[in-house]
Amino acid sequence: MATHTAPTLPGMPFNGGPSPALSHPRRVLWPWPVFVLGAAALVGVWLGRPYLHQIPKSWFGNLVNGTGDHAQKDLQTMRNILERKPGEMDKALTLGQKILDQSSEHPQLVGETNYLMGCIFLKKAEDAAPQETVDWQSARKHFDRAQKEGVPSGDQPRLAFFQAKVLHHLKSEPEGILKLLQDADAGDEKAALYRIKAEELMRTPDPDWKAALDASKQEMSLLPTTVDSRTRAQVRLRLAELNLRLKDTAEAQKQIEGIDSNTPEYFLSRVLLARIHQTDGNFAQAVLAWKLAAANPKATPQELAAIYCDLGMCYSKTHKPAEAQEAWRQAQARGGEPGQAAAFRMAEAQLAEASHEQAVPLFEEALKGVLRPEDYHNSVLPREDVVKVLEQACTLFRTQADFANASKVAELLGYVAGPGRSSEVQAEIADTWGEKLLAESRQTPGQAGQNALAEAKKQFQLAGLHAEKAAKLDRPVAEQSEWFRKAAGYFLKAQSPLALDSAIEMLNRVVQLNKGTPDAEALYLKALAHEQRGQMKEAAEAYKAIPENSPLQARARYQLATIQLNEKSETREAFDQKVKQAIAELEKNLDPSVQQTDRGAHELSMFRLAEVLCKYSNDYAAAETAYKAALKAYPKSAYAELATFWLGRSISNQASLQSQLAHTNGLADADRQAIVKSYTLLLDNAKKTWEPLEKTLLDRETRQPLTDLEKDLLRQTSFAVAECYFFRQEFDDAIRLYKILRIRYDGQVFSLVALSQLWNCYAFTKQPDKAVREAEDLREALARIPADALDKSPPYTRKYWEDWLADKAPTKPAPTPDQPKDQ
């Protein structure tokens, strides 16, 4: 019997066994379960007809054509190219773009596709030139879409790392990059991960230098041994910088020493090394490091400017001014912020030179174009440093009386510190200038002294205007009040009616700012202004308004006493009453508590009390005691010399009273002799008081010109000494002294006084011929003295001397020297 091979169905194996014998086909029997399922399917299709149009037709196409399988294969091809075929990156991008173009057919693959395309663009970006950013931006776009659409869980840590890598290159916000790195997997790029982390930690607003250092150490430990020397140098450079930030200069220097000199980072490491030496004060070593840094052939002009700026500073610290100036000139020539800083440092260094005024044009050059604080921008030289140096320059010029340059620098100061600070400093400069001129006026006789006084008042007026300008700026109330107060003080010194009115106005502003609260200082200054203005009633009211517990109360009492003494009185009794009131007020200021709280007021009150007792109440003994107490307490007072003269006068006036008493009729001889003895002793004490003062003034005159006040004091003292000898009837000494005075004041009215006293001496000693000769000399001297000079010296007018000459004759009896004569 023949046999047949049965046909094979696709996918069914052929076992080679015998086939069954051919026969008629049997009737197929459908099992019931199959029938039921078919019926259910028909029913389901009928019921679902309304929804069939909502199912994408591509689903049916995928089932028929297998499009999803093709997309998956393309994705796998993209991964293979990324891993092993860098030359086919464009093919991979084409495959990825094809998938994205058909994203509606397989939306579940969009995230993964963007991830792979981002990786491709990242690879291309890293292989391209550093300045090219297009691929970096494309990588960022695809990574962002991948993160949004979602990627397979295995790709998520790598996506985070690649995103951080791209954002790091594009210098995005560091906080976001650091957050990505927390969950990132860098694969075999772990060193890069720590590099990015370190650099981003350094870019945060408040850098965590310690964390950045730890990350850099991790990077260094993960670098393969085969890594190029430049990469290692870059890490060492960062480690050095971070250690320097953390003030570990030893470790920073160790890292710098490990940098290969053949790498570009070597020159940058010299910058850090120079800063280390500069911070440690090793300026000579810093100079060497800066010079090596300046040899960098790839350094930009701005980098060189910064290097030369610091090099100049180190040269200046090693006392090499010429080298410092040359380095700064190199920096200045390259411009930019370092160039500006170098120009300023040149000016600052010039302040230490003898010709420091040359610093001013350098300051002007450094601040060219800066007219207000907002115009100054320099990261190399902070504005605070500029302000500090300019203020020091103002102080230097001011203390050395170079007021013109001080004012120029103060104007520059306003450009960087604001007009308020400039006005404050200008006020101080003008005030110091005024004080110097005022001192000169006191030391300079004649018209030159008067001119100096007038200029001093102008400067005080200017100081007041500057202070007023400072006060009117937008500033806290307390500062406004303080500067209005200062302005008033300056205007008071100016003394002109206009300045005094300005002072009163300033003080009224102070009162307004204090909202009616009593301000003792403002009231005191206001009273002074009214007093100098001649408005005594207003002045007295202001003094009286000063609170009793104020530290200025003592000064107010002193000024009130002065006002009372200067007021006109209707009767002698009224005047005596005012004198008593003034004495009582001044005595309150002699309390030791006043000396502790206001030494100036205590000093003034002591000398003024003695003056009142001597000149107003004629209580010469009390005046002597008061003058001695004042001179003992304040021997170096500015009033000491004048007080010494009046101490002598208080004593001599007591002698004059004793002389008058000695001529009382009916006085017993013993009493008369006691009075004469007291008279002689008083004259001797007066002479001993005046002679040292005269010697002091004469010695001073040999060293420097005397002021007008000192000249007047010397004249009165010298005549007073001669008087003592005359009234003690020591005529030889009196004649010797009057002859000296005649010569000293030749051509002046006071030479006539000396000649008249010589006549008295010769007449009293019965030497009529010599007396006549002195009278003739007096007549000749009177003829040589201009009339206007006589008119300025009452009571010694021409008529007085003509009457004196007519009255005096050698044959007449000599006068009796019974009391001193105040010259």
Side-chain angles (χ1 to χ4, degrees):
M1 177 185 270
T3 60
H4 298 273
T5 303
T8 305
L9 293 173
M12 293 181 64
F14 170 59
N15 58 17
S19 68
L22 293 174
S23 60
H24 294 286
R26 298 179 180 177
R27 183 170 58 89
V28 177
L29 298 175
W30 292 91
W32 281 103
V34 175
F35 172 79
V36 173
L37 288 172
L42 290 172
V43 174
V45 169
W46 176 261
L47 294 175
R49 282 179 306 127
Y51 306 100
L52 288 177
H53 68 278
Q54 299 181 17
I55 300 175
K57 293 180 180 180
S58 60
W59 284 22
F60 296 105
N62 289 342
L63 292 174
V64 177
N65 300 321
T67 307
D69 292 338
H70 288 306
Q72 288 286 2
K73 289 179 181 179
D74 289 344
L75 286 176
Q76 186 58 46
T77 301
M78 291 175 69
R79 288 184 185 272
N80 292 337
I81 291 172
L82 270 171
E83 293 175 6
R84 295 185 294 275
K85 300 177 181 180
E88 298 182 16
M89 292 294 180
D90 289 338
K91 176 184 175 181
L93 288 177
T94 301
L95 292 173
Q97 190 59 49
K98 176 183 174 183
I99 298 171
L100 293 179
D101 290 342
Q102 299 174 357
S103 60
S104 60
E105 298 177 2
H106 33 71
Q108 75 278 10
L109 303 181
V110 171
E112 183 180 358
T113 305
N114 276 291
Y115 165 68
L116 292 175
M117 291 188 74
C119 291
I120 294 168
F121 278 115
L122 174 58
K123 179 65 175 172
K124 287 169 64 69
E126 290 177 329
D127 293 340
Q131 64 270 20
E132 295 294 335
T133 61
V134 175
D135 288 337
W136 289 100
Q137 294 290 356
S138 297
R140 177 179 184 176
K141 178 184 72 173
H142 285 291
F143 283 143
D144 287 346
R145 289 189 62 186
Q147 184 184 42
K148 180 179 178 182
E149 298 292 340
V151 298
S153 58
D155 291 331
Q156 288 175 358
R158 294 287 283 165
L159 172 61
F161 173 68
F162 291 143
Q163 277 189 293
K165 200 173 188 181
V166 171
L167 294 174
H168 172 69
H169 179 84
L170 296 176
K171 294 182 169 49
S172 297
E173 290 298 322
E175 290 80 1
I177 297 171
L178 290 170
K179 185 176 180 181
L180 286 169
L181 290 176
Q182 290 176 0
D183 301 319
D185 177 11
D188 57 359
E189 295 186 82
K190 288 184 173 58
L193 184 148
Y194 285 107
R195 172 181 61 82
I196 294 171
K197 182 178 181 180
E199 292 176 355
E200 293 304 325
L201 283 167
M202 295 170 69
R203 286 205 308 126
T204 57
D206 185 17
D208 187 341
W209 304 115
K210 179 64 170 58
L213 177 63
D214 292 340
S216 296
K217 288 179 179 179
Q218 288 279 11
E219 178 190 3
M220 179 63 82
S221 67
L222 291 168
L223 288 176
T225 56
T226 58
V227 75
D228 62 279
S229 59
R230 183 173 186 186
T231 300
R232 198 172 295 276
Q234 290 171 344
V235 181
R236 285 192 179 278
L237 188 65
R238 189 182 337 114
L239 283 167
E241 182 180 353
L242 289 168
N243 277 297
L244 193 57
R245 292 275 189 182
L246 295 168
K247 304 189 184 306
D248 189 348
T249 55
E251 183 61 27
Q253 197 163 345
K254 178 181 175 182
Q255 294 295 336
I256 289 171
E257 289 169 355
I259 293 176
D260 192 334
S261 61
N262 294 319
T263 62
E265 283 68 29
Y266 175 77
F267 295 103
L268 299 177
S269 71
R270 299 311 97 182
V271 173
L272 285 184
L273 184 60
R275 288 176 180 165
I276 291 172
H277 290 316
Q278 200 166 321
T279 302
D280 292 342
N282 299 324
F283 298 108
Q285 294 180 25
V287 165
L288 297 176
W290 283 125
K291 290 172 73 174
L292 283 172
N296 184 359
K298 295 185 178 180
T300 66
Q302 285 300 288
E303 289 171 342
L304 285 174
I307 290 169
Y308 280 117
C309 184
D310 278 311
L311 177 59
M313 179 63 68
C314 292
Y315 270 132
S316 70
K317 295 294 185 180
T318 55
H319 308 291
K320 294 182 178 180
E323 290 85 345
Q325 292 289 327
E326 177 57 29
W328 281 325
R329 275 192 288 270
Q330 290 287 341
Q332 187 181 15
R334 288 166 172 82
E337 291 184 357
Q340 182 186 37
F344 195 83
R345 293 304 185 194
M346 289 172 68
E348 181 184 10
Q350 198 65 47
L351 293 174
E353 301 296 325
S355 55
H356 52 262
E357 65 276 1
Q358 295 179 9
V360 178
L362 291 171
F363 280 133
E364 292 172 337
E365 177 65 24
L367 297 174
K368 185 182 296 183
V370 178
L371 298 176
R372 52 185 182 173
E374 307 91 83
D375 297 336
Y376 185 83
H377 305 282
N378 195 310
S379 58
V380 179
L381 185 65
R383 189 170 65 89
E384 294 74 18
D385 291 355
V386 174
V387 170
K388 182 179 178 181
V389 172
L390 290 175
E391 288 179 341
Q392 290 173 346
C394 286
T395 301
L396 174 65
F397 287 125
R398 180 165 56 86
T399 54
Q400 295 188 353
D402 189 351
F403 299 110
N405 278 321
S407 296
K408 289 180 181 178
V409 177
E411 184 176 356
L412 294 175
L413 176 63
Y415 298 154
V416 289
R421 184 62 184 136
S422 177
S423 296
E424 293 171 4
V425 175
Q426 291 275 28
E428 294 170 356
I429 292 169
D431 179 53
T432 305
W433 198 345
E435 289 291 350
K436 184 176 183 297
L437 289 167
L438 184 61
E440 288 177 3
S441 72
R442 292 167 179 164
Q443 299 292 328
T444 306
Q447 188 60 43
Q450 295 177 12
N451 292 340
L453 178 59
E455 287 299 318
K457 291 180 178 180
K458 287 182 181 179
Q459 290 302 320
F460 291 136
Q461 175 83 13
L462 184 61
L465 292 172
H466 281 304
E468 180 182 1
K469 183 178 179 181
K472 288 182 177 179
L473 294 172
D474 184 16
R475 58 199 313 162
V477 171
E479 291 183 13
Q480 273 192 313
S481 178
E482 180 64 21
W483 279 100
F484 276 128
R485 196 190 315 274
K486 287 184 178 180
Y490 297 140
F491 284 132
L492 277 170
K493 293 181 182 180
Q495 294 182 338
S496 69
L498 181 61
L500 293 172
D501 289 343
S502 296
I504 294 170
E505 180 186 350
M506 296 298 99
L507 294 165
N508 286 334
R509 295 288 293 273
V510 173
V511 173
Q512 291 171 4
L513 287 170
N514 291 342
K515 297 181 179 179
T517 303
D519 187 315
E521 184 180 2
L523 289 169
Y524 179 77
L525 293 175
K526 187 176 178 180
L528 284 179
H530 281 302
E531 188 174 350
Q532 292 184 29
R533 197 74 174 86
Q535 300 164 344
M536 297 304 174
K537 180 180 178 181
E538 292 83 352
E541 289 175 353
Y543 284 131
K544 292 175 182 178
I546 293 174
E548 188 67 31
N549 60 349
S550 167
L552 290 169
Q553 181 58 229
R555 289 179 178 265
R557 280 196 293 262
Y558 173 85
Q559 294 298 135
L560 273 172
T562 302
I563 290 175
Q564 289 174 340
L565 292 169
N566 291 331
E567 285 179 345
K568 292 183 179 179
S569 301
E570 297 295 332
T571 63
R572 179 66 190 186
E573 290 76 12
F575 176 75
D576 290 342
Q577 183 61 34
K578 287 182 180 179
V579 170
K580 289 181 180 179
Q581 291 175 356
I583 291 173
E585 290 298 314
L586 291 170
E587 284 178 340
K588 292 179 183 178
N589 284 353
L590 303 191
D591 190 277
S593 62
V594 175
Q595 188 177 21
Q596 294 176 359
T597 58
D598 192 342
R599 191 173 176 83
H602 184 267
E603 175 186 351
L604 287 169
S605 298
M606 288 195 79
F607 285 106
R608 178 52 64 89
L609 177 61
E611 180 186 10
V612 172
L613 291 169
C614 179
K615 297 181 179 180
Y616 293 91
S617 66
N618 299 329
D619 190 345
Y620 303 121
E624 177 187 359
T625 301
Y627 274 124
K628 286 180 177 179
L631 289 167
K632 182 179 180 181
Y634 301 101
K636 295 183 179 181
S637 171
Y639 312 102
E641 291 180 347
L642 186 61
T644 300
F645 171 80
W646 283 104
L647 170 61
R649 184 58 73 203
S650 297
I651 298 170
S652 69
N653 284 346
Q654 292 179 67
S656 178
L657 293 175
Q658 292 292 308
S659 176
Q660 295 175 19
L661 187 59
H663 288 82
T664 303
N665 294 328
L667 195 64
D669 290 341
D671 292 337
R672 194 182 304 277
Q673 289 176 3
I675 293 172
V676 170
K677 183 178 180 181
S678 174
Y679 164 80
T680 304
L681 181 61
L682 287 166
L683 286 176
D684 189 51
N685 288 339
K687 178 172 68 69
K688 290 178 179 179
T689 300
W690 280 324
E691 282 181 333
L693 175 61
E694 181 187 27
K695 183 178 184 306
T696 297
L697 293 169
L698 288 172
D699 289 344
R700 186 180 302 160
E701 192 175 35
T702 62
R703 299 190 304 272
Q704 63 189 42
L706 298 180
T707 66
D708 291 343
L709 290 174
E710 289 173 333
K711 287 179 180 180
D712 187 60
L713 182 60
L714 173 60
R715 173 183 58 78
Q716 293 199 55
T717 304
S718 295
F719 274 100
V721 171
E723 278 180 7
C724 288
Y725 284 103
F726 177 78
F727 287 112
R728 280 175 57 83
Q729 299 186 21
E730 296 173 357
F731 295 110
D732 290 342
D733 287 325
I735 290 170
R736 174 179 58 82
L737 293 175
Y738 281 126
K739 284 183 177 181
I740 292 173
L741 293 172
R742 174 194 173 183
I743 296 171
R744 185 191 298 172
Y745 297 105
D746 185 41
Q748 300 180 39
V749 173
F750 305 110
S751 66
L752 304 180
V753 177
L755 286 167
S756 68
Q757 289 296 92
L758 283 169
W759 184 93
N760 281 328
C761 289
Y762 289 130
F764 191 81
T765 56
K766 303 187 185 312
Q767 301 179 67
D769 294 340
K770 291 183 178 181
V772 170
R773 191 162 52 248
E774 296 299 334
E776 290 301 320
D777 287 345
L778 192 152
R779 185 174 282 106
E780 293 176 4
L782 177 62
R784 296 198 308 271
I785 296 177
D788 59 344
L790 289 167
D791 294 339
K792 293 177 182 178
S793 304
Y796 303 121
T797 61
R798 182 174 297 278
K799 185 177 185 309
Y800 170 86
W801 291 112
E802 288 174 349
D803 291 344
W804 186 91
L805 287 167
D807 183 59
K808 305 302 179 183
T811 56
K812 291 184 179 180
T816 300
D818 56 354
Q819 65 181 22
K821 194 173 191 179
D822 185 2
Q823 303 301 332

